Amino acid sequence: MERVNPATEAVLDPIDEHTDTAIEAAIDRSVDTYETWRDRSLSQRRRLLAAAGDELRENTMEYAEIATREMGKPITEAIAEIEKCAWVCDHYAEQADSYLADEVIRSEPHAKTFVSHEPIGPVLAVMPWNYPFWQVFRFAAPALTAGNTGLLKHASNVPGCAKAIERVFERAGYPRGVFQSLIVGSDAIEGIIEDDRIRGVTLTGSERAGRAVGGAAGRELLPSVLELGGSDPFIVLDDADVETAARVGTRARTLNSGQSCIAAKRFIVHEAVYDAFVDAFITEIESLSIGDPTDESTDIGPQARKDLMDDVHEQIQQTLRAGGTLETGGEPLDREGYFYPPTVVTDVPHDSPMGREEVFGPAAAVFSVPDEDTAVEVANDSTYGLGGSIWTEDLDRGEQLARRIESGCVFVNELTKSDPRLPFGGVKQSGYGRELSEHGIKSFVNEKTVWVQ
Ligand code: NDP
């Protein structure tokens, strides 16, 4: 598989794709290992997961540098990502006992009914490049600890990360077949899903990939989780702390160089604070440093691939042609690498690409609304429903409004984020199913009813 460093356009050493025979051997190993892995005690599996967390903490820099080299993430964010992976390992190592405990429904001297949580077998994970470690660990930490085995098909531009994740589990002492990376293109996926030894599928990525993988899983009657795109609203009400909203909003839009499913993408601002917010937002956006992702002072690195940068640029250009006003940014930087500056567009027509589509780069669409009801209407006028953020000094008002947003999560006076303790996932075309927390570990278990009398 060819890999390109998106900051320098240097071609990295290719990594060999797996042949059909190697894929077959990996599935065999996954099935064989499952037979013994599922019978290990939960405390043994929890101990191994804690060791994986330690491995990530001990060699944070080694792993972070691979992500930065392959997909261009600023190194400080890559380090934070590896630390967050260690956190999700710690979380499930500590909580799996209570999350997977039997749920007792009836307990009498000679009769008992309960629900036990049992593994289902090998689970295929199709994962994206944007958080190349985190997206995988948030699947693997709970799914493996529940007693399943995992097969990873990572995005084609991050095979080095795929191999590094396999290494984390090996170094932590996991049996070899518990977690394996398949170095394959997306054309191999349907065949793997059709293999009746695969018992579940999860995908994080685009709506297009979600339809392909979810469709194949449906045909095979496999449980699946789909975490797809988003076009999250960031609502600033008339009583918001505008300066803080502008500062946090900048971060919410530009984290990971703008390539995040839960990035704030549509800024919906009450007209009473619109001018103040837009001024503060542009000042914050223009203060960000863009450049070498290996430099610790860099805020924005390159876009992960040239085609993705070109797509973002085209969406912005079409929005401007449809009547949007460019406030800052809007042209790729004239230098080596795939650098796109943080961009702000106001007067965004609702049916333009920045109004309707997911923009997977550092470009913010700003809308002015006359009142709270219109803010909700604009927020919900999207085919997506992943996250959302509301800014108001009145917490009751924020809570009431949060209930009206059609999404998998809403944060009041905070940016949308994933957290091992909280369920994560979307509604509408942002997908279905939940990851993380107790909900996530139950995505790939057999919730078995047992009646004894
Ligand atoms: P994709 O959705 O194409 O890639 C995500 C994963 O799905 C990769 O492993 C990819 O493999 C695989 N994949 C793609 N198509 C199929 C298919 N038909 N069958 C099986 N597997 C498939 O994302 P892109 O990298 O192309 O990014 C395009 C857009 O996707 C972004 O602009 C953004 O809108 C969205 N996206 C959303 C993410 C999120 O976190 N929700 C993350 C990444 C992207 P391969 O790399 O081999 O094609």
Side-chain angles (χ1 to χ4, degrees):
M1 240 161 219
E2 287 210 351
R3 308 180 285 158
V4 175
N5 180 329
T8 61
E9 300 181 43
V11 176
L12 306 170
D13 292 343
I15 292 186
D16 286 343
E17 262 190 68
H18 280 149
T19 59
D20 289 349
T21 315
I23 296 171
E24 184 60 27
I27 299 176
D28 275 346
R29 196 177 299 120
S30 194
V31 174
D32 289 348
T33 310
Y34 171 64
E35 294 305 327
T36 50
W37 179 243
R38 62 170 301 166
D39 290 335
R40 288 220 188 178
S41 67
L42 182 54
S43 61
Q44 280 179 322
R45 295 199 298 260
R46 284 172 40 227
R47 267 200 301 280
L48 282 167
L49 188 65
D54 291 342
E55 165 59 25
L56 287 159
R57 263 186 297 270
E58 278 158 25
N59 293 299
T60 304
M61 205 58 191
E62 174 190 331
Y63 297 119
E65 281 174 349
I66 299 171
T68 295
R69 192 160 55 242
E70 283 194 332
M71 53 67 69
K73 186 185 294 277
I75 191 69
T76 47
E77 292 192 33
I79 291 168
E81 180 174 338
I82 304 301
E83 288 168 348
K84 192 165 173 179
C85 293
W87 180 23
V88 80
C89 292
D90 292 349
H91 178 77
Y92 281 106
E94 286 158 16
Q95 300 297 331
D97 266 348
S98 69
Y99 288 167
L100 296 176
D102 290 345
E103 187 188 328
V104 178
I105 296 180
R106 187 172 65 135
S107 178
E108 291 159 18
H110 301 292
K112 171 162 144 177
T113 307
F114 62 96
V115 178
S116 71
H117 302 101
E118 300 179 8
I120 57 171
V123 180
L124 174 70
V126 182
M127 290 290 153
W129 44 265
N130 64 335
Y131 286 90
F133 282 80
W134 169 245
Q135 310 275 30
V136 177
F137 274 91
R138 95 179 161 193
F139 149 72
L144 305 185
T145 308
N148 303 296
T149 50
L151 289 158
L152 168 68
K153 178 273 181 279
H154 219 324
S156 293
N157 54 331
V158 290
C161 293
K163 293 220 155 252
I165 295 167
E166 209 174 48
R167 231 166 25 245
V168 172
F169 288 110
E170 272 169 29
R171 287 177 178 173
Y174 278 71
R176 184 163 168 229
V178 174
F179 180 92
Q180 301 172 85
S181 286
L182 302 173
I183 309 296
V184 294
S186 54
D187 52 350
I189 294 309
E190 197 169 331
I192 296 173
I193 294 172
E194 284 169 359
D195 187 312
D196 61 12
R197 292 168 296 173
I198 300 295
R199 295 297 162 82
V201 185
T202 180
L203 172 131
T204 300
S206 62
E207 192 185 319
R208 184 181 43 80
R211 286 183 192 281
V213 167
R219 283 191 297 281
E220 297 304 315
L221 306 179
L222 291 179
S224 58
V225 171
L226 298 182
E227 201 275 274
L228 309 177
S231 187
D232 285 1
F234 187 99
I235 299 174
V236 185
L237 294 178
D238 49 348
D239 63 347
D241 172 349
V242 169
E243 294 294 321
T244 308
R247 183 168 43 76
V248 179
T250 298
R251 199 167 149 66
R253 177 56 285 205
T254 59
L255 263 173
N256 205 31
S257 310
Q259 306 163 114
S260 169
C261 47
I262 45 169
K265 290 173 185 142
R266 296 177 299 135
F267 291 77
I268 300 164
V269 186
H270 195 290
E271 62 187 15
V273 291
Y274 182 81
D275 290 341
F277 176 81
V278 171
D279 283 352
F281 188 46
I282 292 171
T283 304
E284 290 283 346
I285 286 275
E286 289 181 340
S287 72
L288 297 173
S289 65
I290 175 164
D292 180 0
T294 64
D295 183 335
E296 283 182 8
S297 66
T298 293
D299 297 311
I300 310 271
Q303 301 299 287
R305 298 192 317 244
K306 181 166 189 316
D307 63 304
L308 294 169
M309 180 180 79
D310 292 344
D311 288 349
V312 169
H313 185 53
E314 185 52 33
Q315 287 173 303
I316 293 169
Q317 293 308 306
Q318 280 186 26
T319 302
L320 297 178
R321 285 199 290 276
T325 303
L326 183 66
E327 302 287 350
T328 186
E331 284 295 331
L333 299 194
D334 185 14
R335 53 165 290 175
E336 74 176 5
Y338 314 135
F339 289 91
Y340 205 88
T343 296
V344 178
V345 179
T346 53
D347 306 319
V348 173
H350 288 282
D351 56 358
S352 67
M354 291 183 75
R356 285 261 157 258
E357 299 170 5
E358 175 174 44
V359 180
F360 217 64
V366 190
F367 303 85
S368 172
V369 289
D371 52 46
E372 189 174 297
D373 287 343
T374 316
V376 173
E377 210 175 286
V378 173
N380 289 341
D381 183 19
S382 170
T383 55
Y384 293 108
L386 195 54
S389 182
I390 296 171
W391 291 77
T392 172
E393 294 291 270
D394 179 341
L395 300 189
D396 287 338
R397 186 184 185 198
E399 187 181 321
Q400 291 315 316
L401 218 59
R403 293 177 190 277
R404 296 171 61 194
I405 303 296
E406 295 167 356
S407 66
C409 59
V410 179
F411 289 68
V412 178
N413 296 326
E414 177 58 293
L415 54 76
T416 304
K417 54 188 170 186
S418 60
D419 177 320
R421 298 164 296 185
L422 309 176
F424 184 84
V427 296
K428 302 203 276 189
Q429 288 175 18
S430 292
Y432 56 76
R434 291 292 177 266
E435 298 191 279
L436 300 173
S437 76
E438 182 171 346
H439 299 260
I441 201 167
K442 289 184 173 163
S443 288
F444 293 109
V445 294
N446 173 12
E447 295 182 280
K448 183 192 278 181
T449 298
V450 182
W451 172 298
V452 184
Q453 67 178 32

